[in-house]
């Protein structure tokens, strides 16, 4: 499909270029032949006038051979044809290259869309298959008990909750993939951190995890909802993978016109081979972090990366197995008032 579209676009480029080139060639040919005829006539009149002045009885001279004029016009036409042939070959190669560059963003977008649909379908298939299988087994039971029905409903609700979490994650990811999904306003890091901690505290209390919030009143420009979502995602990730009765630390600093936010946990860490992929959509490692029973679909960090990109910032991670994990976010500082 991409190659076919590229060839079609190249053909349109060639058609446009050759129409312009042919039009210029016709104009050049007409102008040059007119100039040639005018030159021949002017030379003839000039010599005739001199001969008449010298001897009026002499016949009109033949100044330029008509065949020579015709040959000159033929050579001019041939030269223009060769030039147009060279333009055709050159513009064909250049047009093919430019068509590829023009269509590249579209091809990447289509590839990303197809990969997104494939990944989402794969993630949806597992809970749906589990839910369908459980219901079919229950329906085939001719004498179901009340406890069996309750267990089925409880398991089904678990699968429905997974589907709900997946759909919410996909909606968020789609939202931040739009060309202009956010509006920048003046904010402070302290209000962002306070709200994110407030949302995560109930989950942290369940595991008796203490969140130490050291955020300061640094000003920055951004979307309040998106930045709270970013901070909440990182804190939620830290709580999920931290052991009970541990501590999560939120620190910040300001340097070179940028605000740096760090969230550190005391979890099992991330294997080095997984670090380059943790921000990929639907990526879940097979290390202790993935084996901690937290579930998830590998969308949270991908959403966090999208939010940071939309704010023209960077996000990184420093981790090793058994030594905890530190996520670092750098965001541009707002202009001073």
């Amino acid at each position: 499909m991409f190659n076919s579209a590229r060839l079609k676009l190249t053909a349109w480029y060639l058609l446009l270029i050759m129409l312009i080139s042919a039009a210029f060639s016709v104009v050049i040919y007409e102008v040059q032949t007119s100039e040639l005829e005018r030159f021949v006539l002017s030379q003839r009149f000039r010599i005739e006038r001199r001969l008449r002045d010298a001897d009026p009885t002499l016949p009109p001279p033949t100044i330029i051979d008509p065949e020579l004029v015709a040959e000159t016009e033929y050579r001019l036409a041939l030269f223009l044809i060769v030039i147009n042939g060279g333009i055709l070959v050159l513009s064909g190669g250049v047009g093919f290259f430019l068509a590829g560059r023009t269509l590249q963003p579209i091809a990447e977008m289509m590839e990303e869309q197809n990969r997104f649909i494939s990944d989402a379908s794969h993630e949806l298939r597992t809970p749906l298959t589990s839910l369908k299988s459980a219901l079919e087994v229950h329906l085939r039971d001719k004498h179901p008990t009340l406890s069996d029905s309750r267990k089925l409903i409880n398991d089904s609700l678990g699968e429905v909750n997974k589907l709900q979490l997946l759909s919410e994650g996909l909606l968020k990811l789609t939202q931040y993939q739009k060309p202009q999904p956010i509006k920048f306003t003046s904010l402070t890091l302290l209000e962002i951190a306070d709200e994110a901690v407030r949302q995560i505290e109930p989950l942290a209390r369940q595991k008796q995890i203490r969140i130490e919030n050291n955020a300061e009143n640094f000003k920055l420009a951004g979307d309040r909802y998106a930045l709270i979502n970013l901070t909440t995602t990182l804190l939620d990730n830290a709580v999920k993978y931290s052991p009970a009765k541990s501590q999560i630390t939120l620190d910040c600093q300001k340097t070179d016109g940028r605000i740096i936010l760090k969230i550190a946990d005391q979890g099992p860490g991330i294997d080095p081979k997984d670090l380059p992929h943790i921000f990929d959509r639907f990526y879940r490692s097979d290390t202790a972090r993935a084996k901690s029973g937290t579930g998830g679909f590998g969308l949270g960090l991908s959403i966090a990366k999208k939010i940071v990109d939309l704010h023209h910032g960077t996000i990184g991670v420093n981790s090793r197995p058994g030594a905890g994990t530190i996520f670092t976010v750098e965001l541009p500082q707002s202009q001073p008032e």
Side-chain angles (χ1 to χ4, degrees), residues 241 268-270 274 283-296:
Y241 295 116
I270 304 173
D274 295 316
Y283 183 81
R284 283 167 292 185
S285 67
D286 57 358
T287 62
R289 291 177 71 90
K291 297 175 182 178
S292 58
T294 59

Side-chain angles (χ1 to χ4, degrees), residues 100-166:
R101 293 291 298 271
T102 302
L103 295 174
Q104 188 62 33
I106 300 175
E108 291 176 355
M109 181 183 67
M110 293 183 62
E111 183 180 355
E112 176 72 14
Q113 184 181 28
N114 291 335
R115 188 163 58 247
F116 180 86
I117 294 173
S118 176
D119 291 343
S121 300
H122 177 74
E123 295 296 333
L124 285 168
R125 187 183 299 115
T126 301
L128 286 175
T129 301
S130 176
L131 187 60
K132 179 183 177 182
S133 300
L135 291 173
E136 287 177 345
V137 170
H138 186 74
L139 287 175
R140 285 198 295 266
D141 189 353
K142 296 181 179 180
H143 304 286
T145 63
L146 181 59
S147 61
D148 291 337
S149 299
R150 287 182 178 275
K151 184 178 184 303
L152 173 67
I153 293 174
N154 185 63
D155 293 342
S156 299
L157 283 176
E159 297 300 329
V160 170
N161 288 334
K162 290 181 181 179
L163 290 171
Q164 184 178 5
L165 289 174
L166 176 58

Side-chain angles (χ1 to χ4, degrees), residues 36-37 39-41 43-44 47 61-74:
L36 179 61
E37 292 175 0
F39 172 76
V40 171
L41 289 175
Q43 288 295 97
R44 179 176 180 178
I47 296 176
T62 301
I63 306 302
I64 298 179
D65 188 353
E67 292 184 358
L68 181 60
V69 175
E71 183 180 355
T72 302
E73 293 177 349
Y74 171 77

